[in-house]
Amino acid sequence: MKKKLISTAVLLGTLALSACDVTTEDEAATGNSNSDQEAVQIDLLGAAADEKDLNILRDQLTRNGFEVNVNQQPDYASYRAQRDAGNFDISVASWTTVTGNPDYAVRSLFTSDGDSRVIAPDSEVDELINQAATENESEYVDTYSEMENVIVTENAYAVGLYNSLKAQAFNKELINPDTVNLYKSRAFAWDTVQFNDTSLNSSEPLILTQTESDLTSLDPIKGNDGSINQLNTNMYVRLVNLTEDDTVTSEASLSYNHAIAEGNSDYYFILRDDINFASVEDGQAVDTGERVGADDVEFSLERASDPESVPDHRTYSLHEYIDDVTVVEDMSELEEATVAGENTSIKEALEAGLDTPINSLVTDKTQSDSSAGNYQVVKLTTTEPFPQVLNYLAHQSAGIVSKEQVESVNTYDIENFDINTDIPYGDQRAVTEGDTYDNHLYASGPYIMIAKNDYEATFQKNPAYMPDSENAAQIENVTVRFIGDMDSALSALRSGEVHLLYGLEETQYEVVEGEDSLELQTGPSNAVEYLIINTTNEESKTAQSEDLRKAILYSINQDDFIQSYDGQKNKAFTPVSPLVDTGNELEADADLVQDHLANYLEQSAE
């Protein structure tokens, strides 16, 4: 894709300044006391959704002596193409810690082998992240604080701009407010939602929205972005879930219970026997008759942790601490192993609250029968003590897929995989209406995607997902409309075209509160908008100069962002800020900017 650079002059005519109290470019130019110093050109990259942030950054940098070229891409896909190609000096990005644990906030982004790495490899960063992963909450605060200082203060690789609230709005005249949950980290779960008139649950679709229509992959390990997180969360069951406040729970998961053994390296899960995979036949969700069992868990988690299991594996770093996944056969193992920090056996912990205690362990999933006390138990062993592993198992990338079905679809040779001719499991081409439609999905969760087009995706309830329990999906059909513009999505909510808007922007709160038919839910989130300073492209000037990076760093004034969003943002130093109070905070400093710029220009002239 050709790089699109918008000059500052053109930008003033085409981009509306979103915050009236932020200095304009003309004001910045005339007010710059260092205007006699040579202006340094900086390429700033972002997507159309980042327009306000791009405006603010442009003006902050301009008044500190930079000449800013803004490359605003129309959508996320084209933005990522530019970013992946390294066509930027600085780039606006976002990260949401959807697992609720700080390791997720940093591992993919900042480790040398991270699957979403945005900084140059740094062994000190790697060491600190790996150290914190083995520590408990009382120990890891100092470690994460040190890691932040290495990334931000010492090297200026990246820096947080702000932490957002989480919000959603829905039509309370149609939807029962008591059935709508607002999760801090977890993507929105559809299965609890009900209409006020429950007779509509089986006849009317629940209509939701999301911005992205181009889906990365419906194979849970091949994507970790806004295009599929919510969709895969609702299509694949996991060993554990997260509650609204990020507590790990077995509720509504594949496990009746889970337990951590002494030493924090062995994790046990006793599996439910009332979930079958769903498939699609003649445009309808059907029960395949295949139970979701221990062999599927073993297969799913082993491929999740293996970077070579599929081409373009995007989530393996989340699961690299998984060393082994096995089906427990020996009852004495459960009786002799004890729960970490307790004088309780693993067997007793797994039996808590069960109608029938464990009478036998079975390896064949078809022989599992909880009413008779015949259960499957899975043991996951980590490479080293890693208490945060449970949060990763709650992530959509740990969704359980059908071993039999995935192996039957993925018959390609990995080394010679050709995206133009090979259609792997979860490829959106298999569910897109038209010549490529050949729906091969097997869903273990409460819903399965029936089909999609450029306008929407349709889902139907899995008829074999905990059918006789309170965890069964309440609404039969769900439609997800693809609406790229949030203002348009809000208009659709107000007009009744959609029923629930997930991920509402702060500037839209007042509009929702002014509508009698709508209800607004808000709460804290783990979402952070941050700035990447390009160090991964060794040829970039920012990679070659620490002084230039620090001049950019100290140009950023987070108060401008908070003010422009009506005070509905919080400061953030890195993506870990909403999860760990390290005490670190960025302070804009114009004098430091000029010192570092002078050093950079002097070095460039040599």
Side-chain angles (χ1 to χ4, degrees):
M1 180 174 292
K2 186 177 180 181
K3 185 177 180 182
K4 177 183 176 185
L5 294 177
I6 306 174
S7 71
T8 307
V10 172
L11 188 67
L12 281 173
T14 58
L15 300 180
L17 191 63
S18 302
C20 62
D21 292 328
V22 177
T23 308
T24 66
E25 185 175 4
D26 290 339
E27 291 170 337
T30 58
N32 182 7
S33 60
N34 297 280
S35 57
D36 57 331
Q37 182 167 274
E38 180 184 346
V40 176
Q41 288 199 3
I42 289 293
D43 293 342
L44 169 61
L45 173 66
D50 304 316
E51 181 175 321
K52 178 183 287 190
D53 296 337
L54 293 171
N55 286 337
I56 296 171
L57 284 167
R58 178 205 64 201
D59 292 325
Q60 290 180 346
L61 291 163
T62 299
R63 65 172 174 255
N64 278 286
F66 291 92
E67 182 179 333
V68 184
N69 301 309
V70 179
N71 178 2
Q72 180 176 302
Q73 291 294 308
D75 53 43
Y76 181 77
S78 54
Y79 155 77
R80 276 309 300 256
Q82 290 287 301
R83 200 177 99 183
D84 292 345
N87 293 334
F88 69 97
D89 294 317
I90 54 177
S91 175
V92 174
S94 60
W95 185 262
T96 301
T97 303
V98 295
T99 59
N101 64 309
D103 187 76
Y104 180 89
V106 294
R107 180 166 299 278
S108 288
L109 297 177
F110 301 133
T111 59
S112 296
D113 61 352
D115 40 42
S116 299
R117 180 169 60 86
V118 298
I119 69 171
D122 189 307
S123 59
E124 186 176 7
V125 173
D126 293 346
E127 181 179 346
L128 290 166
I129 290 175
N130 290 329
Q131 177 184 332
T134 66
E135 298 173 334
N136 60 38
E137 188 170 352
S138 63
E139 298 170 323
Y140 63 47
V141 174
D142 290 342
T143 307
Y144 282 120
S145 177
E146 186 178 352
M147 178 218 68
E148 285 192 321
N149 277 310
V150 172
I151 291 172
V152 181
T153 312
E154 295 179 17
N155 293 291
Y157 293 145
V159 64
L161 300 177
Y162 55 79
N163 162 228
S164 299
L165 296 176
K166 192 167 189 177
Q168 59 196 26
F170 59 90
N171 187 329
K172 63 184 178 183
E173 293 181 348
L174 185 65
I175 296 175
N176 181 349
D178 294 334
T179 67
V180 181
N181 297 319
L182 178 66
Y183 298 93
K184 183 180 181 184
S185 297
R186 181 183 175 187
F188 183 67
W190 309 334
D191 48 301
T192 63
V193 182
Q194 295 192 58
F195 291 115
N196 287 318
D197 179 357
T198 55
S199 67
L200 299 178
N201 288 348
S202 59
S203 61
E204 296 296 321
L206 173 67
I207 306 176
L208 313 170
T209 70
Q210 74 172 39
T211 58
E212 301 298 328
S213 61
D214 187 23
L215 309 182
T216 303
S217 179
L218 299 169
D219 181 340
I221 67 172
K222 294 192 66 176
N224 187 19
D225 58 73
S227 76
I228 50 80
N229 280 342
Q230 184 178 176
L231 310 186
N232 284 346
T233 290
N234 287 283
M235 283 208 297
Y236 299 100
V237 72
R238 295 158 300 282
L239 284 175
V240 289
N241 281 322
L242 292 179
T243 63
E244 291 177 277
D245 63 355
D246 285 350
T247 301
V248 176
T249 179
S250 288
E251 184 178 350
S253 76
L254 182 57
S255 304
Y256 287 116
N257 286 314
H258 66 276
I260 306 172
E262 192 67 48
N264 293 330
S265 288
D266 291 328
Y267 301 78
Y268 292 86
F269 307 86
I270 184 166
L271 304 189
R272 302 182 68 100
D273 61 350
D274 59 350
I275 304 176
N276 286 359
F277 289 102
S279 65
V280 176
E281 293 182 6
D282 299 324
Q284 299 294 311
V286 298
D287 178 0
T288 64
E290 180 190 344
R291 181 175 293 173
V292 182
D295 59 332
D296 303 300
V297 173
E298 191 174 15
F299 172 77
S300 299
L301 297 184
E302 286 178 350
R303 70 194 294 265
S305 62
D306 178 7
E308 305 300 326
S309 62
V310 291
D312 198 25
H313 195 326
R314 299 193 182 188
T315 62
Y316 61 86
S317 69
L318 306 185
H319 306 291
E320 63 185 0
Y321 275 88
I322 296 176
D323 184 46
D324 198 16
V325 184
T326 56
V327 183
V328 180
E329 301 181 40
D330 187 353
M331 185 79 77
S332 65
E333 178 177 347
L334 304 183
E335 295 169 335
E336 295 171 5
T338 58
V339 176
E342 299 180 20
N343 187 25
T344 305
S345 72
I346 293 295
K347 181 174 183 291
E348 291 173 308
L350 295 180
E351 287 178 328
L354 295 182
D355 293 335
T356 307
I358 304 173
N359 293 322
S360 69
L361 298 175
V362 298
T363 57
D364 183 347
K365 64 185 178 183
T366 65
Q367 301 302 311
S368 180
D369 183 356
S370 59
S371 64
N374 303 326
Y375 295 95
Q376 288 199 299
V377 172
V378 171
K379 179 173 75 170
L380 182 150
T381 302
T382 55
T383 55
E384 57 189 280
F386 185 44
Q388 296 186 45
V389 72
L390 288 173
N391 293 77
Y392 286 125
L393 296 178
H395 186 249
Q396 67 87 19
S397 62
I400 308 304
V401 297
S402 165
K403 178 179 186 294
E404 182 178 346
Q405 179 67 3
V406 171
E407 288 183 333
S408 72
V409 173
N410 289 354
T411 57
Y412 53 80
D413 178 6
I414 292 181
E415 292 184 0
N416 298 308
F417 177 77
D418 186 347
I419 189 62
N420 297 309
T421 57
D422 296 321
I423 298 183
Y425 179 83
D427 192 305
Q428 68 173 340
R429 288 173 291 181
V431 295
T432 300
E433 295 173 358
D435 295 340
T436 62
Y437 183 86
D438 184 18
N439 197 320
H440 59 220
L441 297 178
Y442 262 46
S444 60
Y447 287 93
I448 186 169
M449 182 184 288
I450 303 299
K452 75 171 287 287
N453 52 38
D454 291 338
Y455 178 59
E456 65 186 20
T458 57
F459 296 78
Q460 198 168 95
K461 173 181 176 178
N462 177 354
Y465 179 83
M466 308 188 200
D468 298 319
S469 77
E470 62 182 9
N471 296 318
Q474 300 300 309
I475 291 179
E476 189 79 18
N477 298 288
V478 173
T479 298
V480 177
R481 296 268 171 84
F482 304 131
I483 305 177
D485 178 70
M486 286 301 295
D487 288 331
S488 298
L490 179 57
S491 295
L493 176 67
R494 297 174 69 190
S495 67
E497 295 175 49
V498 300
H499 304 148
L500 189 147
L501 179 56
Y502 177 76
L504 201 69
E505 295 180 350
E506 289 89 342
T507 53
Q508 298 174 319
Y509 293 177
E510 187 175 351
V511 175
V512 172
E513 291 171 331
E515 295 279 351
D516 292 339
S517 63
L518 302 182
E519 180 160 324
L520 175 69
Q521 293 179 328
T522 63
S525 86
N526 297 327
V528 170
E529 196 83 357
Y530 69 105
L531 190 71
I532 302 168
I533 303 178
N534 192 348
T535 55
T536 57
N537 181 356
E538 295 179 357
E539 301 300 317
S540 68
K541 56 179 175 284
T542 46
Q544 297 174 10
S545 174
E546 181 181 307
D547 276 304
L548 179 57
R549 298 198 302 271
K550 288 186 175 179
I552 295 167
L553 175 70
Y554 289 112
S555 296
I556 298 169
N557 187 334
Q558 294 180 340
D559 289 330
D560 287 347
F561 292 94
I562 294 171
Q563 184 178 5
S564 71
Y565 286 99
D566 301 325
Q568 300 288 348
K569 301 287 189 185
N570 299 312
K571 291 186 176 181
F573 200 63
T574 71
V576 86
S577 296
L579 299 115
V580 182
D581 184 7
T582 62
N584 292 327
E585 187 172 321
L586 175 67
E587 295 289 343
D589 191 322
D591 292 335
L592 281 176
V593 172
Q594 299 311 313
D595 289 344
H596 286 297
L597 271 181
N599 290 341
Y600 167 71
L601 291 170
E602 181 180 349
Q603 294 162 3
S604 299
E606 293 178 353

